[in-house]
Amino acid sequence: MEPERRWLRLRYIAGVMVMFASLLFSLAASKSGDSPTVQDLYESLESRMGYWLILGNTRHCGLYRKGQISPFPIAKAQRAMEEKMYMRLNLKPGSKVLDAGAGSGFVAIYMARKGLSVQAVDITPHHLADAKKNVKKHHLEDKITVDYGDYHDLDALPDASFDGIYTMETFVHADDPAKVLNNFYRLLKPGGVIVFHEADVVRLSEKFHHIMRLSHCQNTLKQGGYEKLIKDAGFINFTLEDLTEEVLPLWRFFGILGYLPYQLFKLLGIQDRFINVMAGVESWMNWGDGRYISVRAVKA
């Protein structure tokens, strides 16, 4: 009887674990449907857990040496990406910049520590709360202002009021990229700079388009699209750096970490409810369909 009781206990434990996993999956899964908003995406428990557990609540990639395998330490690589942004802006201390889509405020904090004055805007409530808390924690209230702001509509901000504007993986969420660029052009002083660290598309497969829609990046520009759009808005001195291989270690980690859960979700037919897991795995498995780029231009 002892082996039978042991087997019953194992079945009971396994059943409890399955029930717990099912509950966790149901809680974490996105409920935003087929066309989520940006707020839906970032407010989901899956997103919050992932950014907190893996990325330290910082909402952007890390920058690594070409050929590096290990993604660790992730925080060091994220600071390297922020340094890359700062160097691309190439602004003097005291310059005023707009962080368009500030997330939890860590990029703005880095820029402020470098001597820039930052106006940070975002449209997601918990991002704004996190950013304000982080700015206060680092005693940078005199260098950083955090407010609600949609980069499609920045009429509250005066013309020619910024020396620089940047986006760190947020321009991909634009519903109307041309309108956003026209807003940025109006807000910049003559000679002011824009720098975007973003993705563009090399090969737009059906699967890739599906992932882009679920992650509210359906207007991600095709290769060559940034140069045309930015020049059409009136900017000059366009430059582009391809950083794809320098972000690979983190995306490889995403792919490996999420591979088995993703296969389970696919088996259960619920993979679309775990947008970040799907995007991480599919991007790694189809590396080369997109690029990670840094673009820079100047207002004439």
Side-chain angles (χ1 to χ4, degrees), residues 69-135:
I69 301 298
S70 171
F72 303 109
I74 293 174
K76 180 180 178 181
Q78 290 171 326
R79 301 296 84 76
M81 184 65 81
E82 293 157 8
E83 175 67 13
K84 181 71 173 181
M85 174 71 77
Y86 172 74
M87 296 300 292
R88 292 281 277 163
L89 284 166
N90 192 28
L91 294 170
K92 296 177 181 178
S95 298
K96 187 175 182 180
V97 295
L98 175 66
D99 184 331
S104 294
F106 290 107
V107 183
I109 288 169
Y110 191 90
M111 297 301 162
R113 285 175 167 169
K114 287 288 189 174
L116 302 182
S117 175
V118 187
Q119 170 71 66
V121 298
D122 204 287
I123 62 173
T124 303
H126 85 270
H127 285 179
L128 292 168
D130 284 351
K132 289 176 180 179
K133 180 180 68 177
N134 289 328
V135 168

Side-chain angles (χ1 to χ4, degrees), residues 213-273:
R213 186 180 71 255
L214 290 178
S215 55
H216 198 276
C217 300
Q218 63 268 30
N219 293 313
T220 300
L221 300 177
K222 294 181 181 178
Q223 187 172 1
Y226 274 96
E227 183 171 10
K228 182 180 186 308
L229 194 69
I230 286 172
K231 288 182 176 179
D232 286 349
F235 290 91
I236 60 174
N237 299 338
F238 175 89
T239 62
L240 182 150
E241 292 187 25
D242 187 341
L243 305 177
T244 309
E245 294 307 306
E246 290 158 88
V247 301
L248 176 56
L250 187 58
W251 282 94
R252 183 191 294 118
F253 177 62
F254 291 157
I256 294 171
L257 184 67
Y259 183 79
L260 289 179
Y262 181 51
Q263 299 309 314
L264 174 61
F265 300 153
K266 287 174 67 176
L267 185 65
L268 297 173
I270 59 172
Q271 67 275 12
D272 285 4
R273 297 178 62 190

Side-chain angles (χ1 to χ4, degrees), residues 4-205:
E4 184 177 349
R5 283 197 294 270
R6 188 181 301 115
W7 171 243
L8 287 172
R9 282 198 297 270
L10 289 173
R11 287 179 59 187
Y12 173 77
I13 293 170
V16 170
M17 291 178 66
V18 169
M19 289 175 63
F20 178 77
S22 299
L23 177 62
L24 182 62
F25 290 163
S26 66
L27 288 171
S30 170
K31 309 292 196 306
S32 54
D34 196 47
S35 299
T37 65
V38 174
Q39 292 94 328
D40 289 335
L41 178 68
Y42 287 109
E43 290 283 5
S44 74
L45 186 57
E46 185 212 9
S47 286
R48 292 197 189 204
M49 289 172 60
Y51 283 114
W52 178 57
L53 291 172
I54 300 174
L55 297 180
N57 219 22
T58 299
R59 286 160 174 76
H60 65 78
C61 293
L63 188 70
Y64 300 86
R65 299 186 312 274
K66 286 185 178 180
Q68 183 170 333
I69 301 298
S70 171
F72 303 109
I74 293 174
K76 180 180 178 181
Q78 290 171 326
R79 301 296 84 76
M81 184 65 81
E82 293 157 8
E83 175 67 13
K84 181 71 173 181
M85 174 71 77
Y86 172 74
M87 296 300 292
R88 292 281 277 163
L89 284 166
N90 192 28
L91 294 170
K92 296 177 181 178
S95 298
K96 187 175 182 180
V97 295
L98 175 66
D99 184 331
S104 294
F106 290 107
V107 183
I109 288 169
Y110 191 90
M111 297 301 162
R113 285 175 167 169
K114 287 288 189 174
L116 302 182
S117 175
V118 187
Q119 170 71 66
V121 298
D122 204 287
I123 62 173
T124 303
H126 85 270
H127 285 179
L128 292 168
D130 284 351
K132 289 176 180 179
K133 180 180 68 177
N134 289 328
V135 168
K136 184 176 181 179
K137 177 182 176 181
H138 290 89
H139 309 292
L140 290 169
E141 297 96 324
D142 60 329
K143 299 265 189 188
I144 304 170
T145 302
V146 180
D147 288 307
Y148 174 89
D150 183 342
Y151 55 27
H152 293 87
D153 181 10
L154 296 170
D155 291 344
L157 299 176
D159 294 358
S161 53
F162 293 97
D163 301 292
I165 298 174
Y166 64 85
T167 66
M168 183 71 90
E169 303 174 23
T170 61
F171 191 76
V172 289
H173 294 303
D175 292 317
D176 189 341
K179 182 177 182 180
V180 175
L181 269 172
N182 289 333
N183 277 334
F184 290 170
Y185 193 89
R186 177 184 68 81
L187 292 173
L188 282 172
K189 300 173 184 178
V193 301
I194 54 170
V195 178
F196 300 161
H197 282 195
E198 302 292 345
D200 67 1
V201 179
V202 177
R203 291 185 296 273
L204 187 58
S205 65

